[in-house]
């Protein structure tokens, strides 16, 4: 029998260890797996490398993980925002390493890892400082930059609905990096609002097939990071 | 605050001008900030589909108080709506649309545009600046037509249209046209060419606020937006 449903958040994130490379879904607060991140904060792990589009807001979610000193390095496309205070302080103090990647290159590197592709050439970043030190190849007369796949030990993702096989649906723009991160990690952990019986998700509506998912945990009413940031709430 | 140069178009007027050039049926990506306003000025009768790189085709207006949903945002992380016919997808598909040449037009902001169409809009290169790239490098690499919406000079009077960009590049020779508060300028092999110029502003005055060679187009006309 296949049952990927975990009884609680603490057991769900037990795969996260010191030194793990952790993908975290979400674009800003949309799709941020806030409760899973907080469960990782509670584990007290350190030396993490985090791969995420942004670098957290306020004092919750990814910002809470950074604030607790758990993160050694972050790989992202856009670390700056009006509320990315924790990241900026750590970065300026030299306490967190940053690798900035163009957003589409970040997405494709993740997808490539999940699809078993050993990298790809893209026109993105050609002629810019981001291409420095990377292999350049001329294809059809245009300059392309080689980018390597980006894989992770663990992915933390938020979705809308799952069944016990790990089939997922997403909601609106909370989908963003979720489906590709599910593919690219050795162990994918997903928090969902609802867990439904097998067969309750129309097979034509499955966005991420369960083969890409290892652990599912229900968080029926996830917190609003947007509200938490406005109210200046902190975790823990 | 001191302002430099002549009083040019308002920001809504600049957005209006850029919107006039977007053909019916286009798929369009708007950069964060000022370019987002272009969506408010699409001429009546044109059907234009707005792409947001976080996974939306058919992004509609900013959500009203009763429509707000934190899981429906645009690339600027503002809560938006969907128009009938909208589609949602993940990030790799979204950037396949961008890199694969499926998006017709993108309108971006700029720190600097070079006479050769080079664009710098992600970092001023300062030692304490936090580098944040977002989707700009993918957009300029893949979108069919890249145009820039920007004030002609900075708040401190520095030129933004320059002979050669001094800030780190977003892309090389990517910009086709610039909509500023003073002019509409094409980027050509022969440098900047003004096709429309603010009423009452001379080409010499415009050239003095522009780095690199600038010449008037043979059929140059006045830039005449409505009051906005």
């Amino acid at each position: 029998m296949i049952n990927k449903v975990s009884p609680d958040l603490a057991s769900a994130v037990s795969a996260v260890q010191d030194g793990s490379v952790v993908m975290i879904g979400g674009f800003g607060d949309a799709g941020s797996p806030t409760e899973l991140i907080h469960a990782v904060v509670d584990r007290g792990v350190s030396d993490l490398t985090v791969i995420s589009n942004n670098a957290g807001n306020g004092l919750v979610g990814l910002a809470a993980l950074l604030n607790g000193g758990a993160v050694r390095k972050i790989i992202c496309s856009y670390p700056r925002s009006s509320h990315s205070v924790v990241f900026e302080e750590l970065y300026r103090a030299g306490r967190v390493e940053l690798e900035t990647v163009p957003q589409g290159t970040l997405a494709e590197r993740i997808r490539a890892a999940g699809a078993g592709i050993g990298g790809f050439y893209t026109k993105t970043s050609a002629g810019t400082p981001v291409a420095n030190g990377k292999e350049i190849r001329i294809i059809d007369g245009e300059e392309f930059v080689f980018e390597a796949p980006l894989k992770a030990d663990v992915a933390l993702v938020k979705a809308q609905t799952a069944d016990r096989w790990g089939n997922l649906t997403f909601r609106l723009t909370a989908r963003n990096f979720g489906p590709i991160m599910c593919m690219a990690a050795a162990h994918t952990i997903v928090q969902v609002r609802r867990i439904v019986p097998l067969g309750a998700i129309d097979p034509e509506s499955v966005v991420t097939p369960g083969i890409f998912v290892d652990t599912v945990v229900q968080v029926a009413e996830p917190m609003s990071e947007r509200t938490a940031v406005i109210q200046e709430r902190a975790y823990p | 605050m001191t302002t430099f140069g002549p009083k040019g178009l308002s920001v809504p007027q600049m957005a209006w001008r850029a919107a006039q050039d977007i053909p019916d049926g286009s798929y369009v990506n708007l950069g964060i900030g000022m370019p987002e306003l272009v969506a408010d000025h699409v001429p009546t009768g044109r059907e234009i589909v707005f792409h947001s790189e976080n996974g939306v085709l058919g992004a509609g207006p900013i959500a009203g108080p009763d429509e707000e949903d934190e899981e429906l945002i645009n690339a600027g992380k503002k809560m938006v709506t969907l128009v009938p016919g909208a589609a949602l997808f993940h990030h790799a598909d979204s950037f396949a649309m961008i890199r694969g040449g499926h998006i017709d037009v993108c309108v971006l902001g700029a720190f600097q545009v070079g006479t050769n169409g080079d664009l710098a809009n992600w970092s001023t290169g300062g030692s304490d600046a936090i580098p944040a790239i977002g989707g700009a490098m993918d957009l300029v690499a893949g979108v069919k037509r890249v145009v820039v919406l920007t004030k002609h000079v900075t708040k401190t009077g520095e030129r933004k249209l320059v002979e050669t960009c001094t800030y780190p590049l977003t892309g090389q020779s990517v910009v086709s046209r610039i909509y500023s508060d003073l002019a509409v300028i094409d980027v050509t092999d022969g440098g900047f060419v003004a096709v429309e110029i603010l009423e009452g502003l001379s080409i010499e005055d415009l050239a003095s606020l522009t780095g690199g060679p600038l010449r008037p187009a043979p059929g140059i006309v006045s830039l005449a937006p409505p009051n906005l």
Side-chain angles (χ1 to χ4, degrees):
Chain A
M1 174 170 167
I2 301 171
N3 185 11
K4 298 180 180 178
V5 179
S6 179
D8 56 71
L9 285 158
S11 356
V13 299
S14 58
V16 183
Q17 305 291 336
D18 287 347
S20 288
V21 177
V22 183
M23 285 178 179
I24 299 181
F27 181 88
D29 47 5
S32 170
T34 316
E35 282 75 12
L36 285 175
I37 300 168
H38 289 171
V40 173
V41 171
D42 294 345
R43 273 182 72 71
V45 291
S46 62
D47 203 28
L48 302 179
T49 295
V50 166
I51 300 165
S52 189
N53 188 64
N54 304 103
N57 280 317
L59 293 165
V60 292
L62 176 50
L65 191 64
L66 284 159
N67 205 25
V71 181
R72 179 180 65 78
K73 178 180 180 180
I74 183 157
I75 301 171
C76 72
S77 93
Y78 207 84
R80 214 167 49 204
S81 79
S82 48
H83 299 284
S84 54
V85 187
V86 170
F87 168 79
E88 288 177 33
E89 276 180 16
L90 290 172
Y91 179 74
R92 293 191 204 285
R95 287 171 56 205
V96 65
E97 195 182 328
L98 172 68
E99 179 182 341
T100 320
V101 181
Q103 200 170 129
T105 296
L106 180 65
E108 194 64 14
R109 289 178 66 190
I110 293 167
R111 197 201 72 83
I117 303 295
F120 57 94
Y121 293 89
T122 175
K123 280 196 285 183
T124 301
S125 91
T128 80
V130 172
N132 288 350
K134 292 177 183 167
E135 182 195 340
I136 305 294
R137 184 159 167 179
I138 306 298
I139 300 172
D140 287 341
E142 291 192 276
E143 208 173 291
F144 281 69
V145 181
F146 178 75
E147 294 285 354
L150 195 55
K151 62 181 192 217
D153 300 309
V154 181
L156 308 178
V157 168
K158 179 190 189 184
Q160 179 69 1
T161 307
D163 58 28
R164 67 176 170 83
W165 282 10
N167 293 308
L168 304 178
T169 69
F170 291 83
R171 185 169 175 275
L172 297 168
T173 56
R175 182 183 308 193
N176 58 71
F177 284 88
I180 52 175
M181 286 184 172
C182 284
M183 297 166 63
H187 190 99
T188 291
I189 306 161
V190 185
Q191 68 171 73
V192 293
R193 287 195 176 83
R194 294 194 309 144
I195 296 178
V196 298
L198 281 187
I201 303 174
D202 176 357
E204 301 234 48
S205 300
V206 171
V207 174
T208 291
I211 192 168
F212 297 126
V213 173
D214 299 281
T215 301
V216 167
V217 62
Q218 187 179 14
V219 179
E221 291 179 21
M223 71 179 284
S224 157
E225 278 199 19
R226 197 166 282 238
T227 305
V229 169
I230 292 165
Q231 296 175 348
E232 298 182 355
R233 296 211 303 267
Y235 189 86
Chain B
M1 189 180 70
T2 314
T3 52
F4 290 81
K7 178 168 167 36
L9 269 54
S10 68
V11 170
Q13 286 176 318
M14 292 165 63
W16 171 87
R17 181 60 195 87
Q20 304 313 302
D21 287 348
I22 301 176
D24 186 30
S26 298
Y27 290 89
V28 176
N29 184 291
L30 301 176
I32 297 169
M34 203 158 47
E36 289 176 58
L37 299 176
V38 171
D40 298 336
H41 300 284
V42 173
T44 309
R46 285 188 212 173
E47 202 160 53
I48 291 170
V49 181
F50 289 104
H51 173 267
S52 190
E53 51 261 50
N54 57 318
V56 187
L57 271 177
I62 297 293
D66 300 334
E67 301 170 305
E68 290 186 343
D69 187 320
E70 292 175 10
E71 293 190 329
L72 183 54
I73 61 174
N74 66 9
K77 306 192 173 79
K78 296 186 183 74
M79 289 184 273
V80 293
T81 52
L82 298 176
V83 299
L88 298 162
F89 34 86
H90 63 61
H91 247 84
D93 279 353
S94 186
F95 279 84
M97 292 173 196
I98 292 171
R99 262 189 270 94
H102 307 282
I103 307 287
D104 299 301
V105 180
C106 78
V107 185
L108 295 175
F111 294 151
Q112 292 176 326
V113 182
T115 44
N116 60 352
D118 282 1
L119 174 67
N121 78 345
W122 66 284
S123 170
T124 54
S127 57
D128 67 337
I130 294 175
I133 303 171
M137 285 190 187
D138 304 282
L139 286 162
V140 300
V143 173
K144 288 178 196 158
R145 180 172 170 86
V146 177
V147 299
V148 159
L149 187 68
T150 180
K151 294 277 187 182
H152 207 86
V153 297
T154 69
K155 284 174 187 164
T156 51
E158 288 158 78
R159 293 163 186 176
K160 300 184 80 167
L161 280 63
V162 295
E163 175 91 49
T164 305
C165 292
T166 52
Y167 294 150
L169 291 188
T170 307
Q172 280 180 316
S173 300
V174 291
V175 176
S176 299
R177 177 170 270 198
I178 301 151
Y179 301 92
S180 85
D181 52 337
L182 305 182
V184 177
I185 291 174
D186 280 339
V187 177
T188 72
D189 292 341
F192 295 127
V193 174
V195 293
E196 293 179 25
I197 187 166
L198 185 71
E199 185 101 52
L201 185 70
S202 70
I203 192 78
E204 291 76 20
D205 287 344
L206 183 65
S208 74
L209 297 166
T210 307
L214 171 85
R215 58 189 167 84
I220 185 169
V221 295
S222 284
L223 180 49
N227 288 322
L228 290 169

